[in-house]
Amino acid sequence: MRIDVVTLFPDMIGELCRFGIPRIAVEKGLLELGCWNPRDYAANRHRSVDDRPYGGGPGMVMQFQPVAEAIRMARQQGSGPVIYLSPQGRRLDQRAVQDFAALPHMILLAGRYEGIDERLIEQEVDQEWSVGDYVLSGGEPAALVWIDALTRLLPGALGDEASAQCDSFMNGLLDYPHYTRPEVIAGQAVPKVLVGGNHTAIRRWRLQQSLGRTWARRPDLLEQLELNDEQQALLEDFIREQQSKESEENP
Ligand code: 9D3
């Protein structure tokens, strides 16, 4: 896969690729990353890339021409869509990540200031995507989220394909709790089932924990799922146990 990022801060993007899975993906040649800085294509004497908004108001707006030139360069690197990262876009989720991870190429457009001249978006942008309902100071952190989430799905990037398969969200559920040595910390023991060696019981316990946590913390995720009989029974069990704990606490 190749990802080209149009950004005023290419160093922010390059830095991600020095660590962890993106680094391995680049080293293995699974991921190629390019950055295109509109400032390098600013035609004016001061190399400025922003200007005041028509109609007035606070902040500045990224100008059409330098961004258009940077996108033109990025387009020569492949044939994928131009994706504008913005708070007005569709919210990224794991389903979308999986779809985009299958593409051979894409161009991520990261904005700064108040945004980019709308005519650039109309002319050059294929899709507009957000990473969540909170305010960032620019598109670069969102581009990093995209690159990280996509890269770990590239075949061969994780080393251990099983761990991508087991991911929380891959099955639409939150993850179960994890434990490692020592077996007891300040009187708190690891759940017995995990040290018993009964792998069927362990699988069922983990599935039940995933279901129970999703029910308690993210009911919105659970609503999107169709549980099978085993899952339904495990969850009902979890809820019953939780309710009996609650009635012990408040007699
Ligand atoms: C204070 C500025 N806001 C006025 C109400 C508008 C605004 C402009 C530019 C808010 C954020 C940004 C910069 N954000 C992004 O470039 C961005 C983003 C985000 O802020 N939230 C979630 N996803 C994304 S993707 C790109």
Side-chain angles (χ1 to χ4, degrees):
M1 165 185 284
R2 180 173 172 111
I3 301 177
D4 287 280
V5 186
V6 174
T7 170
L8 289 172
F9 299 108
D11 292 350
M12 280 178 81
I13 307 298
E15 197 63 8
L16 176 82
C17 299
R18 302 204 306 118
F19 304 98
I21 288 159
R23 173 178 174 169
I24 289 164
V26 169
E27 283 172 358
K28 287 187 177 173
L30 304 169
L31 174 68
E32 244 187 300
L33 199 68
C35 286
W36 305 93
N37 189 342
R39 198 168 301 279
D40 295 337
Y41 305 97
N44 62 77
R45 214 155 48 84
H46 301 286
R47 311 232 104 189
S48 70
V49 292
D50 61 325
D51 206 340
R52 287 163 300 147
Y54 276 115
M60 300 292 271
V61 176
M62 285 176 80
Q63 293 174 286
F64 181 100
Q65 180 267 331
V67 178
E69 302 274 351
I71 291 176
R72 200 166 62 80
M73 297 304 293
R75 281 191 193 280
Q76 291 170 16
Q77 316 303 315
S79 57
V82 175
I83 296 160
Y84 178 36
L85 304 172
S86 103
Q88 284 75 47
R90 257 182 80 181
R91 188 160 65 202
L92 187 68
D93 59 16
Q94 191 65 22
R95 161 94 56 86
V97 168
Q98 281 174 277
D99 291 344
F100 283 113
L103 296 181
H105 183 238
M106 72 196 71
I107 297 168
L108 300 179
L109 173 56
R112 280 276 150 179
Y113 317 118
E114 290 305 304
I116 307 177
D117 190 306
E118 189 67 20
R119 292 163 293 185
L120 182 282
I121 295 155
E122 284 167 9
Q123 270 192 38
E124 301 285 350
V125 168
D126 299 305
Q127 305 186 34
E128 201 166 333
W129 286 82
S130 159
V131 293
D133 296 335
Y134 40 81
V135 181
L136 301 174
S137 53
E140 287 78 10
L144 296 181
V145 166
W146 272 63
I147 296 165
D148 190 86
L150 264 58
T151 299
R152 49 193 304 295
L153 295 187
L154 300 179
L158 275 191
D160 179 9
E161 295 312 302
S163 82
Q165 281 303 311
C166 296
D167 265 354
S168 154
F169 288 122
M170 275 311 198
N171 59 9
L173 294 172
L174 299 184
D175 209 354
Y176 50 78
H178 303 271
Y179 300 88
T180 188
R181 294 192 299 173
E183 200 173 319
V184 182
I185 297 173
Q188 276 201 292
V190 171
K192 273 222 158 50
V193 62
L194 298 181
V195 292
N198 179 341
H199 296 289
T200 307
I202 291 170
R203 186 192 63 80
R204 285 169 55 82
W205 182 85
R206 286 178 168 166
L207 178 55
Q208 183 177 49
Q209 289 293 313
S210 282
L211 289 160
R213 287 177 146 197
T214 310
W215 170 78
R217 302 179 191 191
R218 292 293 304 276
D220 58 308
L221 294 179
L222 212 50
E223 271 165 34
Q224 296 171 38
L225 294 177
E226 190 88 61
L227 300 186
N228 63 31
D229 289 350
E230 183 197 29
Q231 294 170 328
Q232 193 65 48
L234 286 169
L235 179 57
E236 280 166 19
D237 223 49
F238 181 99
I239 295 171
R240 254 194 308 278
E241 255 173 62
Q242 169 117 344
Q243 283 164 347
S244 77
K245 267 186 221 154
E246 272 168 24
S247 57
E248 280 167 36
E249 284 160 20
N250 321 298

